[in-house]
Amino acid sequence: MALARSGATVERDRLRASFDGVWGDLAGVGRDPRSGGYDRFSWTGVDLGLREWFVAEATRRGLEVEVDRNGNQWAWWGAPADGAVVTGSHLDSVPGGGAFDGPLGVVSALLAVDALRASGLAPERPLAVVNFVEEEGARFGLACLGSRLMTGAVDAGHALSLTDDDGTSLADAMSAAGHAPEHVGLDEAALARIGVFVELHVEQGVHLALGEESVGVASAILPHGRWHFCFEGEGNHAGTTRLVDRHDPMLPFAEAVGAARRLADEAQAVTTFGRVRVDPNGTNAIPSRVDAWLDARGADEVGIVRLVDDLRRVAEEAAAGHGVRLTVTNDSFTPVVEFDASLSDRLRSSLGAASIAAPTLPTAAGHDAGILAARVPTAMLFVRNPTGISHSPHEHADASDCVDGVEALTVVLRDLLTESLEVVSDRGVPAEAAR
Ligand code: GLV
Ligand code: MN
Ligand code: MN
Protein backbone atom coordinates (compact mmCIF):
# COMPACT_ATOMS: atom_id res chain seq x y z
CA MET A 1 0.00 0.00 0.00
CA ALA A 2 1.43 3.35 -0.98
CA LEU A 3 2.14 5.65 1.93
CA ALA A 4 0.25 8.96 1.86
CA ARG A 5 2.65 11.89 1.37
CA SER A 6 2.39 14.70 3.88
CA GLY A 7 0.90 18.03 2.82
CA ALA A 8 4.24 19.73 3.46
CA THR A 9 6.02 17.30 1.12
CA VAL A 10 3.46 17.81 -1.61
CA GLU A 11 3.76 21.58 -1.16
CA ARG A 12 7.55 21.42 -1.37
CA ASP A 13 7.39 19.22 -4.48
CA ARG A 14 5.07 21.75 -6.06
CA LEU A 15 7.43 24.58 -5.17
CA ARG A 16 10.38 22.65 -6.59
CA ALA A 17 8.46 22.09 -9.84
CA SER A 18 7.59 25.80 -10.04
CA PHE A 19 11.21 26.75 -9.36
CA ASP A 20 12.47 24.38 -12.07
CA GLY A 21 9.91 25.77 -14.53
CA VAL A 22 10.63 29.46 -13.98
CA TRP A 23 14.38 28.89 -13.72
CA GLY A 24 14.31 26.85 -16.93
CA ASP A 25 12.55 29.65 -18.84
CA LEU A 26 15.33 32.05 -17.94
CA ALA A 27 18.23 29.66 -18.41
CA GLY A 28 18.83 30.20 -22.12
CA VAL A 29 18.76 34.02 -22.14
CA GLY A 30 22.23 35.45 -22.76
CA ARG A 31 24.00 32.11 -22.27
CA ASP A 32 27.14 31.32 -24.22
CA PRO A 33 26.65 27.69 -25.23
CA ARG A 34 30.41 27.09 -25.37
CA SER A 35 31.38 28.33 -21.91
CA GLY A 36 27.98 28.04 -20.22
CA GLY A 37 28.55 31.59 -18.92
CA TYR A 38 26.13 34.49 -19.18
CA ASP A 39 26.61 37.85 -20.89
CA ARG A 40 23.63 39.86 -19.71
CA PHE A 41 24.45 43.55 -20.05
CA SER A 42 22.10 46.46 -19.49
CA TRP A 43 20.04 47.87 -22.34
CA THR A 44 21.25 45.28 -24.86
CA GLY A 45 19.02 42.92 -26.85
CA VAL A 46 19.70 40.21 -24.24
CA ASP A 47 18.66 42.60 -21.46
CA LEU A 48 15.49 43.49 -23.33
CA GLY A 49 14.74 39.75 -23.46
CA LEU A 50 15.23 39.56 -19.68
CA ARG A 51 13.03 42.58 -19.13
CA GLU A 52 10.34 41.00 -21.31
CA TRP A 53 10.64 37.81 -19.30
CA PHE A 54 10.11 39.85 -16.11
CA VAL A 55 7.01 41.53 -17.56
CA ALA A 56 5.63 38.19 -18.75
CA GLU A 57 6.14 36.55 -15.32
CA ALA A 58 4.52 39.52 -13.58
CA THR A 59 1.62 39.69 -16.02
CA ARG A 60 1.01 35.96 -15.69
CA ARG A 61 0.52 36.60 -11.96
CA GLY A 62 -1.68 39.66 -12.49
CA LEU A 63 1.02 41.95 -11.04
CA GLU A 64 1.09 45.49 -12.37
CA VAL A 65 4.48 46.40 -13.89
CA GLU A 66 5.98 49.87 -13.57
CA VAL A 67 9.30 51.15 -14.88
CA ASP A 68 10.80 53.92 -12.76
CA ARG A 69 12.73 56.95 -14.02
CA ASN A 70 15.99 55.01 -13.95
CA GLY A 71 14.70 51.98 -15.82
CA ASN A 72 14.30 49.69 -12.80
CA GLN A 73 11.27 47.39 -13.19
CA TRP A 74 8.71 46.93 -10.41
CA ALA A 75 5.96 44.29 -10.32
CA TRP A 76 3.25 45.20 -7.82
CA TRP A 77 1.05 42.91 -5.78
CA GLY A 78 -1.52 45.43 -4.56
CA ALA A 79 -1.81 49.03 -5.69
CA PRO A 80 1.57 50.81 -5.65
CA ALA A 81 1.83 52.94 -2.50
CA ASP A 82 4.37 54.35 -0.07
CA GLY A 83 5.78 52.07 2.61
CA ALA A 84 5.56 48.84 0.61
CA VAL A 85 7.51 45.66 1.24
CA VAL A 86 10.01 45.34 -1.62
CA THR A 87 12.04 42.30 -2.62
CA GLY A 88 13.97 41.30 -5.74
CA SER A 89 17.47 41.73 -7.13
CA HIS A 90 18.92 42.09 -10.64
CA LEU A 91 18.99 40.12 -13.89
CA ASP A 92 22.25 41.38 -15.42
CA SER A 93 25.57 39.54 -15.14
CA VAL A 94 29.31 40.06 -15.26
CA PRO A 95 30.94 38.93 -18.54
CA GLY A 96 30.82 35.13 -18.54
CA GLY A 97 28.87 35.18 -15.28
CA GLY A 98 26.87 32.53 -13.49
CA ALA A 99 23.14 31.89 -13.58
CA PHE A 100 22.40 32.67 -9.93
CA ASP A 101 23.95 36.04 -9.06
CA GLY A 102 20.91 38.27 -9.37
CA PRO A 103 18.27 36.10 -11.05
CA LEU A 104 17.93 33.88 -7.97
CA GLY A 105 16.65 36.89 -6.02
CA VAL A 106 14.13 37.84 -8.69
CA VAL A 107 12.86 34.29 -9.28
CA SER A 108 12.62 33.59 -5.54
CA ALA A 109 10.66 36.82 -5.05
CA LEU A 110 8.11 35.84 -7.71
CA LEU A 111 7.72 32.35 -6.25
CA ALA A 112 7.35 33.77 -2.73
CA VAL A 113 4.49 35.94 -4.01
CA ASP A 114 2.88 32.79 -5.46
CA ALA A 115 3.23 31.00 -2.12
CA LEU A 116 1.83 33.90 -0.11
CA ARG A 117 -1.15 34.23 -2.40
CA ALA A 118 -1.80 30.50 -2.45
CA SER A 119 -1.90 30.58 1.34
CA GLY A 120 -4.74 33.13 1.18
CA LEU A 121 -2.68 35.89 2.83
CA ALA A 122 -4.38 39.27 3.07
CA PRO A 123 -1.45 41.73 3.11
CA GLU A 124 -1.61 44.93 5.14
CA ARG A 125 0.48 46.75 2.55
CA PRO A 126 1.55 46.28 -1.07
CA LEU A 127 4.54 44.23 -2.12
CA ALA A 128 6.79 44.93 -5.09
CA VAL A 129 9.27 42.66 -6.85
CA VAL A 130 12.06 44.77 -8.31
CA ASN A 131 14.61 44.16 -11.07
CA PHE A 132 17.43 46.70 -10.74
CA VAL A 133 19.32 47.87 -13.84
CA GLU A 134 23.01 46.98 -14.24
CA GLU A 135 23.96 45.84 -10.76
CA GLU A 136 27.28 44.48 -12.00
CA GLY A 137 28.45 47.57 -13.85
CA ALA A 138 29.58 45.26 -16.65
CA ARG A 139 28.60 47.56 -19.50
CA PHE A 140 29.06 51.11 -18.16
CA GLY A 141 31.57 50.38 -15.39
CA LEU A 142 29.48 51.55 -12.45
CA ALA A 143 28.11 48.79 -10.22
CA CYS A 144 24.58 49.15 -8.82
CA LEU A 145 23.80 51.73 -11.49
CA GLY A 146 19.99 51.56 -11.12
CA SER A 147 19.99 51.83 -7.33
CA ARG A 148 22.77 54.46 -7.28
CA LEU A 149 20.79 56.62 -9.70
CA MET A 150 17.59 56.15 -7.74
CA THR A 151 19.20 57.16 -4.43
CA GLY A 152 21.22 60.01 -5.95
CA ALA A 153 24.47 58.23 -5.03
CA VAL A 154 25.73 59.09 -8.52
CA ASP A 155 25.19 62.29 -10.44
CA ALA A 156 22.70 61.66 -13.26
CA GLY A 157 24.64 63.71 -15.83
CA HIS A 158 27.84 61.85 -15.03
CA ALA A 159 26.12 58.46 -15.26
CA LEU A 160 24.48 59.29 -18.58
CA SER A 161 27.85 60.23 -20.06
CA LEU A 162 29.46 56.89 -19.12
CA THR A 163 30.37 54.88 -22.20
CA ASP A 164 30.66 51.18 -22.94
CA ASP A 165 33.60 49.59 -24.77
CA ASP A 166 32.11 50.61 -28.12
CA GLY A 167 31.84 54.25 -27.06
CA THR A 168 28.04 54.17 -26.70
CA SER A 169 26.88 56.37 -23.83
CA LEU A 170 24.37 55.23 -21.23
CA ALA A 171 22.04 57.97 -22.49
CA ASP A 172 22.19 56.62 -26.05
CA ALA A 173 21.89 52.99 -24.94
CA MET A 174 18.81 53.81 -22.87
CA SER A 175 17.23 55.76 -25.74
CA ALA A 176 17.94 52.98 -28.22
CA ALA A 177 16.24 50.55 -25.83
CA GLY A 178 13.17 52.80 -25.61
CA HIS A 179 13.77 54.34 -22.18
CA ALA A 180 13.85 58.17 -22.02
CA PRO A 181 17.08 59.24 -20.28
CA GLU A 182 15.87 62.79 -19.52
CA HIS A 183 14.29 61.81 -16.20
CA VAL A 184 17.13 59.69 -14.86
CA GLY A 185 18.34 60.55 -11.34
CA LEU A 186 17.32 60.79 -7.68
CA ASP A 187 13.81 59.38 -7.40
CA GLU A 188 12.32 60.31 -4.03
CA ALA A 189 8.89 59.02 -5.07
CA ALA A 190 10.27 55.54 -5.78
CA LEU A 191 12.25 55.59 -2.52
CA ALA A 192 9.18 56.59 -0.51
CA ARG A 193 7.46 53.48 -1.77
CA ILE A 194 10.04 51.26 -0.10
CA GLY A 195 9.04 50.56 3.49
CA VAL A 196 11.64 47.78 3.69
CA PHE A 197 13.81 46.05 1.09
CA VAL A 198 14.83 42.41 1.44
CA GLU A 199 17.17 41.02 -1.24
CA LEU A 200 17.76 37.28 -1.52
CA HIS A 201 21.07 36.37 -3.18
CA VAL A 202 23.24 33.34 -3.80
CA GLU A 203 26.15 33.40 -1.37
CA GLN A 204 29.44 34.36 -3.02
CA GLY A 205 31.64 32.47 -0.60
CA VAL A 206 31.59 29.32 1.51
CA HIS A 207 30.36 30.54 4.87
CA LEU A 208 27.13 28.54 4.56
CA ALA A 209 28.76 25.62 2.78
CA LEU A 210 31.05 25.13 5.79
CA GLY A 211 28.07 24.88 8.12
CA GLU A 212 24.80 23.01 8.20
CA GLU A 213 22.30 25.63 7.08
CA SER A 214 21.17 26.44 3.56
CA VAL A 215 20.08 30.03 4.23
CA GLY A 216 21.75 32.91 6.08
CA VAL A 217 21.11 36.53 7.01
CA ALA A 218 23.58 39.25 5.99
CA SER A 219 25.22 41.40 8.63
CA ALA A 220 27.34 43.76 6.52
CA ILE A 221 28.97 44.47 3.16
CA LEU A 222 32.68 45.19 3.32
CA PRO A 223 33.92 48.46 1.78
CA HIS A 224 34.93 48.24 -1.87
CA GLY A 225 35.78 50.44 -4.82
CA ARG A 226 36.90 50.61 -8.44
CA TRP A 227 39.77 52.66 -9.87
CA HIS A 228 40.64 53.27 -13.52
CA PHE A 229 44.38 53.20 -14.29
CA CYS A 230 45.16 54.68 -17.71
CA PHE A 231 48.76 54.19 -18.95
CA GLU A 232 49.57 56.19 -22.11
CA GLY A 233 52.77 55.42 -23.97
CA GLU A 234 53.82 55.36 -27.60
CA GLY A 235 52.64 52.82 -30.14
CA ASN A 236 55.36 51.46 -32.40
CA HIS A 237 56.64 48.45 -34.31
CA ALA A 238 57.28 45.34 -32.20
CA GLY A 239 60.24 44.28 -34.34
CA THR A 240 62.01 47.46 -35.35
CA THR A 241 61.82 49.56 -32.18
CA ARG A 242 64.90 49.22 -29.97
CA LEU A 243 64.13 48.42 -26.32
CA VAL A 244 65.74 51.67 -25.17
CA ASP A 245 63.49 53.69 -27.47
CA ARG A 246 60.22 52.23 -26.24
CA HIS A 247 57.49 53.82 -24.13
CA ASP A 248 55.52 50.66 -23.58
CA PRO A 249 52.55 51.14 -21.20
CA MET A 250 52.25 47.39 -20.70
CA LEU A 251 55.40 47.35 -18.56
CA PRO A 252 54.32 49.76 -15.78
CA PHE A 253 50.90 48.11 -15.92
CA ALA A 254 52.53 44.71 -15.31
CA GLU A 255 54.42 46.18 -12.34
CA ALA A 256 51.14 47.58 -11.00
CA VAL A 257 49.50 44.15 -11.19
CA GLY A 258 52.26 42.57 -9.12
CA ALA A 259 52.27 45.46 -6.65
CA ALA A 260 48.48 45.29 -6.22
CA ARG A 261 48.77 41.69 -5.10
CA ARG A 262 51.71 42.39 -2.76
CA LEU A 263 50.03 45.41 -1.17
CA ALA A 264 46.77 43.51 -0.74
CA ASP A 265 48.63 40.76 1.07
CA GLU A 266 50.21 43.32 3.41
CA ALA A 267 46.91 45.12 4.06
CA GLN A 268 44.85 41.93 4.43
CA ALA A 269 42.67 43.21 1.62
CA VAL A 270 41.90 41.87 -1.87
CA THR A 271 42.75 43.55 -5.15
CA THR A 272 41.97 42.50 -8.71
CA PHE A 273 42.82 43.87 -12.11
CA GLY A 274 40.07 41.94 -13.90
CA ARG A 275 39.45 44.19 -16.86
CA VAL A 276 42.09 45.47 -19.27
CA ARG A 277 41.86 47.23 -22.62
CA VAL A 278 44.97 47.39 -24.77
CA ASP A 279 45.31 49.73 -27.74
CA PRO A 280 45.75 48.76 -30.47
CA ASN A 281 45.87 45.16 -29.18
CA GLY A 282 48.05 43.71 -31.93
CA THR A 283 50.65 41.00 -31.43
CA ASN A 284 53.26 42.89 -33.44
CA ALA A 285 52.50 46.37 -32.11
CA ILE A 286 53.86 48.00 -28.96
CA PRO A 287 50.71 49.25 -27.25
CA SER A 288 50.04 52.97 -27.20
CA ARG A 289 47.73 52.72 -24.23
CA VAL A 290 46.57 50.34 -21.53
CA ASP A 291 43.36 50.98 -19.61
CA ALA A 292 42.94 48.75 -16.58
CA TRP A 293 40.40 48.69 -13.79
CA LEU A 294 41.32 47.86 -10.21
CA ASP A 295 38.74 46.37 -7.83
CA ALA A 296 39.86 46.73 -4.19
CA ARG A 297 38.03 45.49 -1.09
CA GLY A 298 38.88 45.02 2.54
CA ALA A 299 37.70 45.22 6.10
CA ASP A 300 38.30 48.93 6.59
CA GLU A 301 37.90 51.96 4.38
CA VAL A 302 41.06 53.74 5.49
CA GLY A 303 43.11 50.65 4.73
CA ILE A 304 41.75 50.42 1.18
CA VAL A 305 42.36 54.10 0.46
CA ARG A 306 45.93 53.80 1.80
CA LEU A 307 46.51 50.67 -0.29
CA VAL A 308 45.35 52.37 -3.48
CA ASP A 309 47.48 55.45 -2.70
CA ASP A 310 50.53 53.20 -2.25
CA LEU A 311 49.72 51.37 -5.47
CA ARG A 312 49.34 54.63 -7.34
CA ARG A 313 52.82 55.70 -6.16
CA VAL A 314 54.37 52.40 -7.32
CA ALA A 315 52.59 52.65 -10.68
CA GLU A 316 53.60 56.30 -11.14
CA GLU A 317 57.23 55.48 -10.49
CA ALA A 318 57.11 52.57 -12.92
CA ALA A 319 55.34 54.69 -15.53
CA ALA A 320 57.91 57.49 -15.19
CA GLY A 321 60.69 54.95 -15.63
CA HIS A 322 59.25 53.98 -19.01
CA GLY A 323 58.31 57.48 -20.17
CA VAL A 324 54.64 56.58 -19.83
CA ARG A 325 51.89 58.89 -18.57
CA LEU A 326 49.56 57.56 -15.87
CA THR A 327 46.20 58.88 -14.72
CA VAL A 328 44.22 57.20 -11.95
CA THR A 329 40.53 57.92 -11.46
CA ASN A 330 38.23 56.61 -8.75
CA ASP A 331 35.10 55.30 -10.50
CA SER A 332 33.22 54.33 -7.32
CA PHE A 333 33.70 53.72 -3.63
CA THR A 334 31.16 52.09 -1.35
CA PRO A 335 31.87 52.43 2.37
CA VAL A 336 31.05 49.62 4.77
CA VAL A 337 27.33 48.84 4.93
CA GLU A 338 25.92 47.57 8.21
CA PHE A 339 22.46 46.25 7.46
CA ASP A 340 19.61 47.53 9.64
CA ALA A 341 20.12 45.53 12.85
CA SER A 342 16.48 45.67 13.91
CA LEU A 343 15.27 44.46 10.55
CA SER A 344 17.85 41.66 10.42
CA ASP A 345 16.85 40.64 13.95
CA ARG A 346 13.28 40.59 12.81
CA LEU A 347 14.18 38.34 9.88
CA ARG A 348 16.00 35.92 12.18
CA SER A 349 13.09 36.00 14.58
CA SER A 350 10.45 35.15 11.98
CA LEU A 351 12.72 32.47 10.48
CA GLY A 352 13.32 31.06 13.97
CA ALA A 353 9.58 30.92 14.60
CA ALA A 354 9.28 28.85 11.42
CA SER A 355 12.10 26.56 12.62
CA ILE A 356 14.49 27.87 9.97
CA ALA A 357 17.98 28.30 11.41
CA ALA A 358 19.80 31.06 9.57
CA PRO A 359 23.33 32.03 10.58
CA THR A 360 24.56 35.60 10.22
CA LEU A 361 27.33 36.35 7.74
CA PRO A 362 29.09 39.33 6.20
CA THR A 363 29.99 39.56 2.52
CA ALA A 364 32.67 41.18 0.39
CA ALA A 365 30.31 41.34 -2.60
CA GLY A 366 28.40 44.48 -3.53
CA HIS A 367 24.59 44.56 -3.80
CA ASP A 368 21.80 47.02 -4.57
CA ALA A 369 20.64 46.38 -1.00
CA GLY A 370 23.90 47.98 0.14
CA ILE A 371 23.18 51.14 -1.84
CA LEU A 372 19.56 51.32 -0.70
CA ALA A 373 20.66 50.83 2.92
CA ALA A 374 21.66 54.51 3.00
CA ARG A 375 18.01 55.49 2.59
CA VAL A 376 15.68 52.65 3.67
CA PRO A 377 15.71 49.69 6.09
CA THR A 378 17.36 46.91 4.16
CA ALA A 379 18.24 43.27 4.79
CA MET A 380 19.57 40.32 2.81
CA LEU A 381 19.14 36.57 2.77
CA PHE A 382 21.87 34.34 1.33
CA VAL A 383 21.40 30.90 -0.20
CA ARG A 384 24.18 28.32 0.15
CA ASN A 385 26.68 28.00 -2.69
CA PRO A 386 28.47 24.64 -2.33
CA THR A 387 31.77 25.80 -3.82
CA GLY A 388 31.51 29.52 -3.13
CA ILE A 389 32.42 30.18 -6.78
CA SER A 390 30.70 33.21 -8.26
CA HIS A 391 31.10 35.55 -11.25
CA SER A 392 31.89 32.39 -13.19
CA PRO A 393 29.91 29.83 -15.21
CA HIS A 394 30.61 27.42 -12.32
CA GLU A 395 28.54 29.44 -9.86
CA HIS A 396 25.95 27.08 -8.41
CA ALA A 397 23.25 26.52 -5.81
CA ASP A 398 21.43 23.21 -5.40
CA ALA A 399 17.77 23.38 -6.39
CA SER A 400 16.72 22.12 -2.96
CA ASP A 401 18.66 24.98 -1.31
CA CYS A 402 17.01 27.42 -3.72
CA VAL A 403 13.63 26.07 -2.61
CA ASP A 404 14.73 26.57 1.02
CA GLY A 405 15.55 30.14 0.03
CA VAL A 406 12.06 30.69 -1.41
CA GLU A 407 10.53 29.24 1.76
CA ALA A 408 12.67 31.50 3.95
CA LEU A 409 11.84 34.56 1.88
CA THR A 410 8.14 33.64 2.05
CA VAL A 411 8.29 33.46 5.85
CA VAL A 412 10.06 36.81 6.08
CA LEU A 413 7.70 38.55 3.66
CA ARG A 414 4.63 37.13 5.37
CA ASP A 415 5.74 38.76 8.62
CA LEU A 416 6.59 42.08 6.96
CA LEU A 417 3.29 42.15 5.07
CA THR A 418 1.08 41.41 8.02
CA GLU A 419 2.78 42.86 11.12
CA SER A 420 3.63 46.50 11.78
CA LEU A 421 6.61 47.80 9.83
CA GLU A 422 7.57 49.75 12.88
CA VAL A 423 10.78 47.77 13.42
CA VAL A 424 11.17 47.22 17.15
CA SER A 425 14.76 46.60 18.08
CA ASP A 426 14.06 44.31 21.05
CA ARG A 427 11.66 42.25 19.01
CA GLY A 428 14.13 39.73 17.67
CA VAL A 429 16.86 37.60 19.14
CA PRO A 430 20.15 39.50 19.54
CA ALA A 431 22.40 39.05 16.53
CA GLU A 432 25.19 37.49 18.59
CA ALA A 433 22.87 34.86 20.02
CA ALA A 434 21.70 33.92 16.53
CA ARG A 435 25.17 33.22 15.13
C1 GLV B 1 29.02 42.44 -7.46
O1 GLV B 1 28.65 41.28 -7.38
C2 GLV B 1 30.27 42.84 -6.90
O2 GLV B 1 30.54 42.49 -5.74
O3 GLV B 1 31.05 43.48 -7.60
MN1 MN C 1 27.75 39.98 -8.86
MN1 MN D 1 24.35 40.26 -7.45
Side-chain angles (χ1 to χ4, degrees):
M1 193 178 75
L3 285 175
R5 294 159 73 231
S6 79
T9 311
V10 171
E11 208 33 65
R12 198 173 155 89
D13 287 352
R14 197 175 294 144
L15 184 51
R16 169 70 192 266
S18 302
F19 178 82
D20 289 345
V22 180
W23 197 249
D25 287 346
L26 198 51
V29 188
R31 185 171 184 271
D32 177 343
R34 281 169 310 153
S35 68
Y38 288 90
D39 289 333
R40 293 168 165 172
F41 309 140
S42 68
W43 305 115
T44 58
V46 166
D47 187 40
L48 294 186
L50 294 163
R51 293 170 71 85
E52 276 167 22
W53 170 89
F54 183 85
V55 172
E57 288 295 326
T59 307
R60 208 155 62 75
R61 292 168 169 81
L63 309 179
E64 185 187 322
V65 177
E66 279 188 344
V67 178
D68 70 21
R69 292 163 44 176
N70 297 298
N72 306 307
Q73 293 178 299
W74 304 73
W76 287 91
W77 176 27
D82 287 358
V85 173
V86 181
T87 183
S89 190
H90 61 97
L91 294 175
D92 67 306
S93 75
V94 297
F100 295 82
D101 177 356
L104 186 62
V106 177
V107 167
S108 301
L110 292 167
L111 295 182
V113 170
D114 292 347
L116 291 167
R117 287 169 122 187
S119 73
L121 184 84
E124 295 283 316
R125 52 193 64 85
L127 176 148
V129 177
V130 63
N131 166 31
F132 281 111
V133 170
E134 179 143 343
E135 189 269 355
E136 301 289 4
R139 182 168 180 194
F140 294 102
L142 187 60
C144 301
L145 185 56
S147 54
R148 274 187 213 273
L149 280 167
M150 186 170 98
T151 54
V154 60
D155 174 72
H158 169 69
L160 288 171
S161 70
L162 294 171
T163 51
D164 66 10
D165 281 347
D166 296 329
T168 303
S169 69
L170 173 62
D172 288 346
M174 273 186 168
S175 296
H179 184 83
E182 293 81 27
H183 308 295
V184 155
L186 175 64
D187 190 345
E188 290 290 358
L191 282 166
R193 288 188 166 175
I194 310 176
V196 287
F197 178 57
V198 180
E199 179 172 2
L200 177 146
H201 205 279
V202 67
E203 195 199 342
Q204 297 165 291
V206 289
H207 193 113
L208 290 169
L210 293 172
E212 301 295 319
E213 277 82 29
S214 52
V215 176
V217 177
S219 54
I221 298 180
L222 302 186
H224 54 282
R226 295 181 180 189
W227 286 262
H228 177 188
F229 283 61
C230 173
F231 298 88
E232 291 171 284
E234 186 178 76
N236 211 331
H237 195 287
T240 60
T241 316
R242 295 185 312 161
L243 292 180
V244 291
D245 293 334
R246 294 180 182 215
H247 302 289
D248 182 349
M250 190 65 86
L251 297 170
F253 168 56
E255 288 186 47
V257 174
R261 171 60 187 251
R262 180 173 50 74
L263 291 166
D265 257 340
E266 285 166 17
Q268 295 184 341
V270 288
T271 54
T272 310
F273 275 109
R275 178 177 170 217
V276 187
R277 205 166 55 205
V278 180
D279 283 326
N281 208 20
T283 306
N284 53 356
I286 298 164
S288 57
R289 173 171 166 152
V290 173
D291 289 278
W293 284 266
L294 174 80
D295 180 308
R297 311 185 189 211
D300 79 293
E301 288 152 39
V302 178
I304 296 175
V305 171
R306 194 178 307 129
L307 183 164
V308 176
D309 278 348
D310 290 347
L311 177 59
R312 182 201 302 251
R313 267 192 293 280
V314 171
E316 274 168 354
E317 217 170 282
H322 292 283
V324 166
R325 204 160 76 87
L326 170 65
T327 42
V328 181
T329 323
N330 175 231
D331 284 352
S332 62
F333 188 74
T334 309
V336 67
V337 174
E338 302 278 359
F339 285 111
D340 186 299
S342 306
L343 179 60
S344 297
D345 285 351
R346 182 162 168 171
L347 259 59
R348 276 186 292 268
S349 177
S350 44
L351 291 171
S355 304
I356 300 175
T360 302
L361 52 139
T363 179
H367 300 285
D368 293 306
I371 301 299
L372 290 182
R375 292 296 311 273
V376 295
T378 300
M380 288 192 76
L381 291 173
F382 290 125
V383 170
R384 178 163 54 196
N385 173 340
T387 60
I389 292 176
S390 187
H391 288 184
S392 149
H394 301 296
E395 178 182 85
H396 182 70
D398 289 341
S400 86
D401 286 353
C402 295
V403 170
D404 288 352
V406 176
E407 287 180 341
L409 183 62
T410 306
V411 164
V412 162
L413 296 177
R414 179 189 301 281
D415 168 55
L416 295 171
L417 285 167
T418 52
E419 300 295 325
S420 166
L421 274 197
E422 203 69 26
V423 178
V424 185
S425 39
D426 62 2
R427 183 198 154 109
V429 290
E432 281 310 314
R435 268 171 227 273

